[in-house]
């Protein structure tokens, strides 16, 4: 509407500007009709309307009709003629309702800011979860079942840890999906997991460097090639991917860059000729191919862009590899869902799945969401797979249980009884060792999902497996499970000692191909718990002192952190033994003074806790045996 006053043809303020003028200055909230009329009395409005008639000026609240009204109009007539923007009701009635209301004034509604994009996504996802509560990705919906009567006295599902893990998964899923769907953020929703016991409870981050996992539940896998068609290509791609990851993890020099470009070119050629090329992310693959070609051209000219190789190209290559492996997981999951476990491709398929899951937790979560754990449990329950197939089935469960979702999926689908049965079964020691790996994941000290009540048969069986282990990998699984189980029960260390565990562990450690750095950490952990129970005489009689002294000078070119922990634990254990007379005498008899002196000479940092412990032990040896020799 245009004003009719003295040739003024400017348009009135827009509606939102009018509303802004009607805001309360004290509370900064939109004023209601009664508040407006309280601030401007009726008499003042009448005077303004009379003056507006003679001045022919437009007002904010009154229309031109009000400006032309007679000065002798009654108050009610003036009120009826008032026009307020956005208000179409009867003003007199509104005023009468206000005067009749018990409260003198209305409490203004506090102004709230609209939700941000991320907050809106969280609210939307919470509403979806509340409407579809029974499903929850098909993994976490049912409560962990109570073990059957055959295992009810042996196993207790740790409800507290299970609930905490479910809460962590819900929170990470909410935040991950909010970030994934946000157009303003990058994708990174990997989940930290704990290793299978090599660090004796120390938490290790196994993150995916370039997260590309999307919500795959809506993916259509019907037209994807079968695993039989993809098995050979998948094998070559996995080998090439492992080589690429090794090169990316090492320090890049010109020779390494040349190998990286050559293997990247082979990786692209394998995928372009594979049957699943139509299901790969075309944009990523095209960008990777273009980048490889550009780097190869520069290399031929004698130019190697190290900045590009270590930053953009490395990130793009890792992301492309993970995208390809996600497609492989979908193909393998479909094959396992249709397999009965008796064909020759099943163990190969499981071996490929294990290889893929070792690339990162993202791929483990994708396999869990695609129902791999359900398929593995179904094959183990319904069929009688061969020993080789059963071994890979159990190892697949152990790898997938490395993440919280996998452990919860195993518990909710009744796989715990299968694991304990396979562990205690004496038909196959190879399968029992693989079952011990699953038990290690479920009893990890950082997040134990189960608690074992009667551990004596399990400890006895684990020690029998330790006697039969012929490789460092199998011995690691058995010793890690032994340490986790004994930690759960207050009588576990005594049961381990009564089963002659010290001599059996030393015998296994001295076996060929068994003395790995991971096994050494498990052995020193077991010895430390035995020494803490004041079993000094037994450890001395069973020759544990020489092994502990050997660990004091342990080094490794790759696993320096493991060696540092082993040396510290060995020093603590030796310090505990040195508090007793028989332990100090055994240390002196095994030339501990010279070994400690060499250790302290190599590292003379007196503030180091390891050096402080070693120096204290050496001081005890000096004070006792030098004084005796002087006498």
């Amino acid at each position: 509407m245009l004003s009719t006053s003295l040739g003024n043809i400017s348009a009135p303020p827009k509606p939102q500007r009018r509303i802004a003028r009607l805001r309360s200055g004290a509370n900064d909230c939109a004023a209601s009709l009664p508040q407006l009329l309280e601030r401007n009395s009726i008499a003042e409005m009448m005077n303004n309307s009379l003056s507006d008639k003679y001045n022919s000026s437009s007002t904010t609240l009154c229309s031109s009709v009000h400006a032309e009204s007679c000065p002798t109009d009654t108050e009610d007539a003036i009120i009826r003629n008032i026009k307020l923007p956005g208000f179409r009701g009867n003003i007199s009635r509104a005023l009468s309702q206000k005067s009749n209301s018990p409260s003198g004034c209305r409490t203004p509604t506090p102004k709230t800011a609209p939700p941000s994009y991320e907050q809106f996504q969280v609210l939307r996802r919470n509403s979806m979860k509340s409407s579809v509560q029974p499903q929850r990705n098909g993994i976490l919906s049912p409560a962990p079942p109570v073990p059957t009567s055959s295992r009810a006295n042996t196993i207790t599902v740790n409800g507290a840890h299970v609930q905490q893990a479910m809460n962590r998964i819900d929170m990470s899923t909410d935040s991950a999906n909010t970030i994934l769907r946000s157009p303003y953020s990058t994708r990174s929703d990997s989940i930290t997991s704990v290793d299978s016991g090599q660090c004796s409870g120390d938490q290790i981050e196994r993150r995916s460097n370039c997260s590309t996992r999307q919500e795959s539940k809506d993916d259509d896998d019907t037209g994807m090639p079968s695993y039989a068609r993809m098995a050979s290509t998948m094998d070559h791609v996995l080998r090439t991917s492992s080589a690429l990851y090794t090169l990316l993890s090492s320090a890049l020099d010109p020779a390494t860059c040349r190998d990286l470009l050559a293997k990247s070119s082979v990786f692209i050629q394998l995928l372009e000729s594979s049957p699943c090329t139509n299901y790969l992310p075309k944009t990523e693959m095209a960008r990777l191919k273009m980048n490889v070609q550009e780097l190869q051209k520069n290399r031929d000219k004698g130019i190697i862009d190290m900045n590009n190789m270590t930053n953009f190209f490395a990130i793009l290559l890792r992301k492309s590899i993970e995208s390809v492996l996600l497609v492989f997981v979908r193909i393998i999951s479909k094959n396992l869902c249709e397999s009965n476990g008796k064909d020759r491709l099943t163990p190969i398929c499981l071996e490929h799945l294990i290889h893929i899951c070792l690339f990162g937790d993202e791929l483990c979560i994708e396999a869990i969401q695609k129902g791999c754990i359900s398929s593995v449990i179904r094959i183990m329950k319904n069929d009688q797979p061969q020993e080789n197939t059963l071994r890979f089935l159990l190892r697949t469960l152990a790898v997938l249980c490395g993440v919280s979702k996998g452990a919860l999926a195993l518990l909710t689908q009744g796989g715990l009884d299968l694991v304990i049965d396979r562990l205690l079964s004496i038909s196959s020691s190879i399968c029992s060792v693989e079952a011990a790996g699953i038990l290690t994941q479920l009893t990890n000290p950082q997040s134990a999902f189960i608690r074992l009540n009667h551990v004596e048969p399990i400890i006895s069986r684990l020690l029998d497996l330790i006697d039969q282990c012929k490789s460092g990998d199998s011995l690691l699984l058995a010793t890690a499970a032994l340490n986790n189980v004994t930690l759960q029960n207050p009588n576990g260390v005594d049961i381990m000692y009564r089963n002659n565990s010290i001599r059996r562990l030393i015998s296994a450690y001295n076996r060929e191909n068994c003395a790995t750095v991971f096994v050494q950490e498990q052995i020193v952990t077991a010895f430390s718990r035995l020494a803490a129970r004041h079993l000094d005489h037994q450890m001395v009689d069973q020759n544990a002192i020489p092994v502990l002294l050997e660990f004091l000078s342990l080094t490794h070119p790759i696993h320096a952190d493991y060696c540092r922990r082993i040396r510290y634990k060995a020093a603590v254990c030796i310090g505990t033994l040195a508090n007793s007379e028989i332990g100090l005498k055994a240390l002196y008899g095994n030339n501990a003074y010279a070994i400690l002196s060499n250790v302290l000479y190599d590292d003379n940092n007196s503030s180091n806790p390891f050096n402080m412990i070693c120096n204290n032990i050496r001081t005890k040896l000096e004070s006792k045996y030098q004084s005796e020799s002087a006498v």
Side-chain angles (χ1 to χ4, degrees), residues 599-626:
V599 169
L600 293 173
Y601 179 80
D602 294 337
D603 186 5
N604 56 5
N605 185 5
S606 58
S607 62
N608 189 354
F610 170 73
N611 291 350
M612 293 173 65
I613 297 173
C614 291
N615 190 32
N616 186 28
I617 299 170
R618 189 177 65 171
T619 303
K620 289 182 179 180
L621 291 170
E622 289 175 349
S623 61
K624 181 174 180 61
Y625 292 99
Q626 285 186 0

PDB file of all heavy atoms in Angstrom, residues 599-626:
ATOM      1  N   VAL A 599      72.863 -52.553  32.008  1.00  0.00           N
ATOM      2  CA  VAL A 599      71.621 -51.852  31.651  1.00  0.00           C
ATOM      3  C   VAL A 599      71.707 -50.384  32.045  1.00  0.00           C
ATOM      4  O   VAL A 599      71.334 -49.483  31.266  1.00  0.00           O
ATOM      5  CB  VAL A 599      70.410 -52.542  32.313  1.00  0.00           C
ATOM      6  CG1 VAL A 599      69.158 -51.679  32.174  1.00  0.00           C
ATOM      7  CG2 VAL A 599      70.172 -53.904  31.686  1.00  0.00           C
ATOM      8  N   LEU A 600      72.222 -50.128  33.255  1.00  0.00           N
ATOM      9  CA  LEU A 600      72.326 -48.744  33.719  1.00  0.00           C
ATOM     10  C   LEU A 600      73.409 -47.982  32.972  1.00  0.00           C
ATOM     11  O   LEU A 600      73.322 -46.755  32.816  1.00  0.00           O
ATOM     12  CB  LEU A 600      72.605 -48.722  35.214  1.00  0.00           C
ATOM     13  CG  LEU A 600      71.461 -49.244  36.099  1.00  0.00           C
ATOM     14  CD1 LEU A 600      71.903 -49.344  37.552  1.00  0.00           C
ATOM     15  CD2 LEU A 600      70.247 -48.328  35.984  1.00  0.00           C
ATOM     16  N   TYR A 601      74.434 -48.688  32.491  1.00  0.00           N
ATOM     17  CA  TYR A 601      75.479 -48.019  31.725  1.00  0.00           C
ATOM     18  C   TYR A 601      74.957 -47.579  30.362  1.00  0.00           C
ATOM     19  O   TYR A 601      75.329 -46.500  29.859  1.00  0.00           O
ATOM     20  CB  TYR A 601      76.671 -48.966  31.559  1.00  0.00           C
ATOM     21  CG  TYR A 601      77.801 -48.374  30.754  1.00  0.00           C
ATOM     22  CD1 TYR A 601      78.705 -47.481  31.329  1.00  0.00           C
ATOM     23  CD2 TYR A 601      77.965 -48.712  29.405  1.00  0.00           C
ATOM     24  CE1 TYR A 601      79.740 -46.928  30.581  1.00  0.00           C
ATOM     25  CE2 TYR A 601      78.993 -48.164  28.653  1.00  0.00           C
ATOM     26  CZ  TYR A 601      79.881 -47.275  29.250  1.00  0.00           C
ATOM     27  OH  TYR A 601      80.897 -46.728  28.509  1.00  0.00           O
ATOM     28  N   ASP A 602      74.115 -48.390  29.737  1.00  0.00           N
ATOM     29  CA  ASP A 602      73.565 -48.040  28.427  1.00  0.00           C
ATOM     30  C   ASP A 602      72.616 -46.854  28.519  1.00  0.00           C
ATOM     31  O   ASP A 602      72.518 -46.064  27.577  1.00  0.00           O
ATOM     32  CB  ASP A 602      72.835 -49.252  27.832  1.00  0.00           C
ATOM     33  CG  ASP A 602      73.790 -50.390  27.507  1.00  0.00           C
ATOM     34  OD1 ASP A 602      74.994 -50.105  27.321  1.00  0.00           O
ATOM     35  OD2 ASP A 602      73.347 -51.554  27.468  1.00  0.00           O
ATOM     36  N   ASP A 603      71.897 -46.729  29.609  1.00  0.00           N
ATOM     37  CA  ASP A 603      70.949 -45.617  29.777  1.00  0.00           C
ATOM     38  C   ASP A 603      71.174 -45.038  31.170  1.00  0.00           C
ATOM     39  O   ASP A 603      70.731 -45.599  32.175  1.00  0.00           O
ATOM     40  CB  ASP A 603      69.506 -46.119  29.615  1.00  0.00           C
ATOM     41  CG  ASP A 603      68.501 -44.975  29.642  1.00  0.00           C
ATOM     42  OD1 ASP A 603      68.946 -43.798  29.692  1.00  0.00           O
ATOM     43  OD2 ASP A 603      67.291 -45.249  29.610  1.00  0.00           O
ATOM     44  N   ASN A 604      71.870 -43.932  31.222  1.00  0.00           N
ATOM     45  CA  ASN A 604      72.240 -43.330  32.516  1.00  0.00           C
ATOM     46  C   ASN A 604      71.281 -42.237  32.953  1.00  0.00           C
ATOM     47  O   ASN A 604      71.649 -41.364  33.751  1.00  0.00           O
ATOM     48  CB  ASN A 604      73.662 -42.775  32.463  1.00  0.00           C
ATOM     49  CG  ASN A 604      73.818 -41.772  31.307  1.00  0.00           C
ATOM     50  OD1 ASN A 604      72.848 -41.450  30.629  1.00  0.00           O
ATOM     51  ND2 ASN A 604      75.053 -41.314  31.099  1.00  0.00           N
ATOM     52  N   ASN A 605      70.048 -42.264  32.465  1.00  0.00           N
ATOM     53  CA  ASN A 605      69.048 -41.276  32.875  1.00  0.00           C
ATOM     54  C   ASN A 605      68.504 -41.687  34.245  1.00  0.00           C
ATOM     55  O   ASN A 605      67.717 -42.630  34.373  1.00  0.00           O
ATOM     56  CB  ASN A 605      67.917 -41.213  31.841  1.00  0.00           C
ATOM     57  CG  ASN A 605      66.916 -40.125  32.158  1.00  0.00           C
ATOM     58  OD1 ASN A 605      67.103 -39.346  33.092  1.00  0.00           O
ATOM     59  ND2 ASN A 605      65.851 -40.067  31.381  1.00  0.00           N
ATOM     60  N   SER A 606      68.926 -40.971  35.268  1.00  0.00           N
ATOM     61  CA  SER A 606      68.573 -41.369  36.632  1.00  0.00           C
ATOM     62  C   SER A 606      67.104 -41.116  36.959  1.00  0.00           C
ATOM     63  O   SER A 606      66.568 -41.698  37.896  1.00  0.00           O
ATOM     64  CB  SER A 606      69.452 -40.622  37.637  1.00  0.00           C
ATOM     65  OG  SER A 606      69.302 -39.217  37.484  1.00  0.00           O
ATOM     66  N   SER A 607      66.454 -40.232  36.200  1.00  0.00           N
ATOM     67  CA  SER A 607      65.042 -39.931  36.476  1.00  0.00           C
ATOM     68  C   SER A 607      64.083 -40.912  35.810  1.00  0.00           C
ATOM     69  O   SER A 607      62.880 -40.836  36.045  1.00  0.00           O
ATOM     70  CB  SER A 607      64.720 -38.501  36.005  1.00  0.00           C
ATOM     71  OG  SER A 607      64.912 -38.375  34.608  1.00  0.00           O
ATOM     72  N   ASN A 608      64.609 -41.800  35.004  1.00  0.00           N
ATOM     73  CA  ASN A 608      63.770 -42.803  34.345  1.00  0.00           C
ATOM     74  C   ASN A 608      63.291 -43.816  35.382  1.00  0.00           C
ATOM     75  O   ASN A 608      64.101 -44.362  36.132  1.00  0.00           O
ATOM     76  CB  ASN A 608      64.569 -43.492  33.240  1.00  0.00           C
ATOM     77  CG  ASN A 608      63.704 -44.386  32.383  1.00  0.00           C
ATOM     78  OD1 ASN A 608      62.519 -44.582  32.674  1.00  0.00           O
ATOM     79  ND2 ASN A 608      64.272 -44.928  31.338  1.00  0.00           N
ATOM     80  N   PRO A 609      61.979 -44.101  35.467  1.00  0.00           N
ATOM     81  CA  PRO A 609      61.512 -45.082  36.479  1.00  0.00           C
ATOM     82  C   PRO A 609      62.163 -46.444  36.330  1.00  0.00           C
ATOM     83  O   PRO A 609      62.462 -47.103  37.339  1.00  0.00           O
ATOM     84  CB  PRO A 609      59.998 -45.138  36.224  1.00  0.00           C
ATOM     85  CG  PRO A 609      59.667 -43.843  35.581  1.00  0.00           C
ATOM     86  CD  PRO A 609      60.863 -43.476  34.760  1.00  0.00           C
ATOM     87  N   PHE A 610      62.391 -46.875  35.109  1.00  0.00           N
ATOM     88  CA  PHE A 610      63.046 -48.164  34.900  1.00  0.00           C
ATOM     89  C   PHE A 610      64.443 -48.153  35.497  1.00  0.00           C
ATOM     90  O   PHE A 610      64.850 -49.103  36.199  1.00  0.00           O
ATOM     91  CB  PHE A 610      63.090 -48.458  33.396  1.00  0.00           C
ATOM     92  CG  PHE A 610      63.944 -49.634  33.028  1.00  0.00           C
ATOM     93  CD1 PHE A 610      63.523 -50.930  33.295  1.00  0.00           C
ATOM     94  CD2 PHE A 610      65.173 -49.448  32.413  1.00  0.00           C
ATOM     95  CE1 PHE A 610      64.308 -52.019  32.948  1.00  0.00           C
ATOM     96  CE2 PHE A 610      65.967 -50.531  32.067  1.00  0.00           C
ATOM     97  CZ  PHE A 610      65.534 -51.818  32.336  1.00  0.00           C
ATOM     98  N   ASN A 611      65.187 -47.093  35.257  1.00  0.00           N
ATOM     99  CA  ASN A 611      66.540 -47.006  35.811  1.00  0.00           C
ATOM    100  C   ASN A 611      66.520 -46.897  37.341  1.00  0.00           C
ATOM    101  O   ASN A 611      67.402 -47.427  38.022  1.00  0.00           O
ATOM    102  CB  ASN A 611      67.265 -45.800  35.220  1.00  0.00           C
ATOM    103  CG  ASN A 611      67.584 -45.989  33.745  1.00  0.00           C
ATOM    104  OD1 ASN A 611      67.435 -47.079  33.226  1.00  0.00           O
ATOM    105  ND2 ASN A 611      68.007 -44.924  33.085  1.00  0.00           N
ATOM    106  N   MET A 612      65.532 -46.224  37.871  1.00  0.00           N
ATOM    107  CA  MET A 612      65.429 -46.109  39.324  1.00  0.00           C
ATOM    108  C   MET A 612      65.203 -47.477  39.961  1.00  0.00           C
ATOM    109  O   MET A 612      65.792 -47.807  41.003  1.00  0.00           O
ATOM    110  CB  MET A 612      64.298 -45.157  39.680  1.00  0.00           C
ATOM    111  CG  MET A 612      64.556 -43.703  39.274  1.00  0.00           C
ATOM    112  SD  MET A 612      63.128 -42.632  39.518  1.00  0.00           S
ATOM    113  CE  MET A 612      62.967 -42.700  41.294  1.00  0.00           C
ATOM    114  N   ILE A 613      64.346 -48.306  39.340  1.00  0.00           N
ATOM    115  CA  ILE A 613      64.099 -49.647  39.884  1.00  0.00           C
ATOM    116  C   ILE A 613      65.354 -50.497  39.793  1.00  0.00           C
ATOM    117  O   ILE A 613      65.733 -51.205  40.754  1.00  0.00           O
ATOM    118  CB  ILE A 613      62.924 -50.297  39.136  1.00  0.00           C
ATOM    119  CG1 ILE A 613      61.625 -49.504  39.358  1.00  0.00           C
ATOM    120  CG2 ILE A 613      62.728 -51.735  39.584  1.00  0.00           C
ATOM    121  CD1 ILE A 613      60.460 -49.982  38.514  1.00  0.00           C
ATOM    122  N   CYS A 614      66.022 -50.451  38.633  1.00  0.00           N
ATOM    123  CA  CYS A 614      67.239 -51.252  38.469  1.00  0.00           C
ATOM    124  C   CYS A 614      68.338 -50.801  39.442  1.00  0.00           C
ATOM    125  O   CYS A 614      69.067 -51.639  40.011  1.00  0.00           O
ATOM    126  CB  CYS A 614      67.738 -51.141  37.031  1.00  0.00           C
ATOM    127  SG  CYS A 614      66.671 -51.938  35.803  1.00  0.00           S
ATOM    128  N   ASN A 615      68.453 -49.526  39.631  1.00  0.00           N
ATOM    129  CA  ASN A 615      69.463 -49.010  40.558  1.00  0.00           C
ATOM    130  C   ASN A 615      69.151 -49.428  41.993  1.00  0.00           C
ATOM    131  O   ASN A 615      70.067 -49.748  42.781  1.00  0.00           O
ATOM    132  CB  ASN A 615      69.522 -47.490  40.434  1.00  0.00           C
ATOM    133  CG  ASN A 615      70.704 -46.903  41.178  1.00  0.00           C
ATOM    134  OD1 ASN A 615      71.757 -47.530  41.283  1.00  0.00           O
ATOM    135  ND2 ASN A 615      70.532 -45.697  41.713  1.00  0.00           N
ATOM    136  N   ASN A 616      67.900 -49.464  42.353  1.00  0.00           N
ATOM    137  CA  ASN A 616      67.507 -49.903  43.691  1.00  0.00           C
ATOM    138  C   ASN A 616      67.851 -51.375  43.901  1.00  0.00           C
ATOM    139  O   ASN A 616      68.333 -51.775  44.978  1.00  0.00           O
ATOM    140  CB  ASN A 616      66.014 -49.654  43.870  1.00  0.00           C
ATOM    141  CG  ASN A 616      65.553 -49.949  45.285  1.00  0.00           C
ATOM    142  OD1 ASN A 616      66.333 -49.831  46.237  1.00  0.00           O
ATOM    143  ND2 ASN A 616      64.292 -50.322  45.436  1.00  0.00           N
ATOM    144  N   ILE A 617      67.591 -52.197  42.876  1.00  0.00           N
ATOM    145  CA  ILE A 617      67.926 -53.627  43.006  1.00  0.00           C
ATOM    146  C   ILE A 617      69.436 -53.801  43.139  1.00  0.00           C
ATOM    147  O   ILE A 617      69.924 -54.607  43.961  1.00  0.00           O
ATOM    148  CB  ILE A 617      67.384 -54.401  41.781  1.00  0.00           C
ATOM    149  CG1 ILE A 617      65.864 -54.283  41.705  1.00  0.00           C
ATOM    150  CG2 ILE A 617      67.792 -55.860  41.849  1.00  0.00           C
ATOM    151  CD1 ILE A 617      65.277 -54.817  40.416  1.00  0.00           C
ATOM    152  N   ARG A 618      70.196 -53.075  42.338  1.00  0.00           N
ATOM    153  CA  ARG A 618      71.658 -53.194  42.412  1.00  0.00           C
ATOM    154  C   ARG A 618      72.179 -52.731  43.773  1.00  0.00           C
ATOM    155  O   ARG A 618      73.128 -53.318  44.330  1.00  0.00           O
ATOM    156  CB  ARG A 618      72.300 -52.382  41.287  1.00  0.00           C
ATOM    157  CG  ARG A 618      73.791 -52.623  41.152  1.00  0.00           C
ATOM    158  CD  ARG A 618      74.378 -51.858  39.991  1.00  0.00           C
ATOM    159  NE  ARG A 618      74.303 -50.407  40.182  1.00  0.00           N
ATOM    160  CZ  ARG A 618      74.905 -49.529  39.396  1.00  0.00           C
ATOM    161  NH1 ARG A 618      75.609 -49.952  38.353  1.00  0.00           N
ATOM    162  NH2 ARG A 618      74.784 -48.226  39.628  1.00  0.00           N
ATOM    163  N   THR A 619      71.558 -51.708  44.311  1.00  0.00           N
ATOM    164  CA  THR A 619      71.966 -51.232  45.641  1.00  0.00           C
ATOM    165  C   THR A 619      71.721 -52.301  46.704  1.00  0.00           C
ATOM    166  O   THR A 619      72.548 -52.495  47.618  1.00  0.00           O
ATOM    167  CB  THR A 619      71.205 -49.946  45.990  1.00  0.00           C
ATOM    168  OG1 THR A 619      71.442 -48.959  44.981  1.00  0.00           O
ATOM    169  CG2 THR A 619      71.620 -49.406  47.336  1.00  0.00           C
ATOM    170  N   LYS A 620      70.609 -53.020  46.600  1.00  0.00           N
ATOM    171  CA  LYS A 620      70.337 -54.105  47.551  1.00  0.00           C
ATOM    172  C   LYS A 620      71.384 -55.202  47.438  1.00  0.00           C
ATOM    173  O   LYS A 620      71.844 -55.758  48.457  1.00  0.00           O
ATOM    174  CB  LYS A 620      68.950 -54.685  47.298  1.00  0.00           C
ATOM    175  CG  LYS A 620      67.801 -53.775  47.702  1.00  0.00           C
ATOM    176  CD  LYS A 620      66.453 -54.457  47.457  1.00  0.00           C
ATOM    177  CE  LYS A 620      65.313 -53.545  47.894  1.00  0.00           C
ATOM    178  NZ  LYS A 620      63.984 -54.181  47.677  1.00  0.00           N
ATOM    179  N   LEU A 621      71.758 -55.525  46.199  1.00  0.00           N
ATOM    180  CA  LEU A 621      72.797 -56.560  46.019  1.00  0.00           C
ATOM    181  C   LEU A 621      74.133 -56.091  46.586  1.00  0.00           C
ATOM    182  O   LEU A 621      74.862 -56.877  47.222  1.00  0.00           O
ATOM    183  CB  LEU A 621      72.932 -56.891  44.522  1.00  0.00           C
ATOM    184  CG  LEU A 621      71.756 -57.628  43.874  1.00  0.00           C
ATOM    185  CD1 LEU A 621      71.919 -57.681  42.358  1.00  0.00           C
ATOM    186  CD2 LEU A 621      71.638 -59.047  44.435  1.00  0.00           C
ATOM    187  N   GLU A 622      74.471 -54.843  46.368  1.00  0.00           N
ATOM    188  CA  GLU A 622      75.740 -54.326  46.898  1.00  0.00           C
ATOM    189  C   GLU A 622      75.758 -54.328  48.423  1.00  0.00           C
ATOM    190  O   GLU A 622      76.737 -54.741  49.058  1.00  0.00           O
ATOM    191  CB  GLU A 622      75.967 -52.898  46.375  1.00  0.00           C
ATOM    192  CG  GLU A 622      76.291 -52.815  44.899  1.00  0.00           C
ATOM    193  CD  GLU A 622      76.392 -51.383  44.425  1.00  0.00           C
ATOM    194  OE1 GLU A 622      75.999 -50.471  45.217  1.00  0.00           O
ATOM    195  OE2 GLU A 622      76.826 -51.154  43.293  1.00  0.00           O
ATOM    196  N   SER A 623      74.659 -53.858  49.010  1.00  0.00           N
ATOM    197  CA  SER A 623      74.639 -53.732  50.471  1.00  0.00           C
ATOM    198  C   SER A 623      74.701 -55.080  51.161  1.00  0.00           C
ATOM    199  O   SER A 623      75.252 -55.192  52.278  1.00  0.00           O
ATOM    200  CB  SER A 623      73.381 -52.984  50.909  1.00  0.00           C
ATOM    201  OG  SER A 623      72.225 -53.698  50.510  1.00  0.00           O
ATOM    202  N   LYS A 624      74.184 -56.121  50.531  1.00  0.00           N
ATOM    203  CA  LYS A 624      74.165 -57.429  51.190  1.00  0.00           C
ATOM    204  C   LYS A 624      75.443 -58.211  50.938  1.00  0.00           C
ATOM    205  O   LYS A 624      76.102 -58.680  51.871  1.00  0.00           O
ATOM    206  CB  LYS A 624      72.951 -58.239  50.740  1.00  0.00           C
ATOM    207  CG  LYS A 624      72.860 -59.607  51.398  1.00  0.00           C
ATOM    208  CD  LYS A 624      71.581 -60.321  51.060  1.00  0.00           C
ATOM    209  CE  LYS A 624      71.514 -61.693  51.736  1.00  0.00           C
ATOM    210  NZ  LYS A 624      71.566 -61.605  53.209  1.00  0.00           N
ATOM    211  N   TYR A 625      75.815 -58.349  49.666  1.00  0.00           N
ATOM    212  CA  TYR A 625      76.889 -59.278  49.346  1.00  0.00           C
ATOM    213  C   TYR A 625      78.258 -58.624  49.430  1.00  0.00           C
ATOM    214  O   TYR A 625      79.249 -59.307  49.682  1.00  0.00           O
ATOM    215  CB  TYR A 625      76.658 -59.893  47.965  1.00  0.00           C
ATOM    216  CG  TYR A 625      75.456 -60.811  47.981  1.00  0.00           C
ATOM    217  CD1 TYR A 625      74.221 -60.384  47.514  1.00  0.00           C
ATOM    218  CD2 TYR A 625      75.560 -62.089  48.524  1.00  0.00           C
ATOM    219  CE1 TYR A 625      73.117 -61.220  47.560  1.00  0.00           C
ATOM    220  CE2 TYR A 625      74.455 -62.927  48.569  1.00  0.00           C
ATOM    221  CZ  TYR A 625      73.233 -62.484  48.088  1.00  0.00           C
ATOM    222  OH  TYR A 625      72.143 -63.324  48.153  1.00  0.00           O
ATOM    223  N   GLN A 626      78.386 -57.344  49.244  1.00  0.00           N
ATOM    224  CA  GLN A 626      79.682 -56.717  49.451  1.00  0.00           C
ATOM    225  C   GLN A 626      80.029 -56.647  50.937  1.00  0.00           C
ATOM    226  O   GLN A 626      81.180 -56.797  51.327  1.00  0.00           O
ATOM    227  CB  GLN A 626      79.696 -55.306  48.845  1.00  0.00           C
ATOM    228  CG  GLN A 626      79.798 -55.307  47.325  1.00  0.00           C
ATOM    229  CD  GLN A 626      79.949 -53.918  46.776  1.00  0.00           C
ATOM    230  OE1 GLN A 626      79.979 -52.944  47.536  1.00  0.00           O
ATOM    231  NE2 GLN A 626      80.047 -53.820  45.451  1.00  0.00           N
TER     232      GLN A 626
END
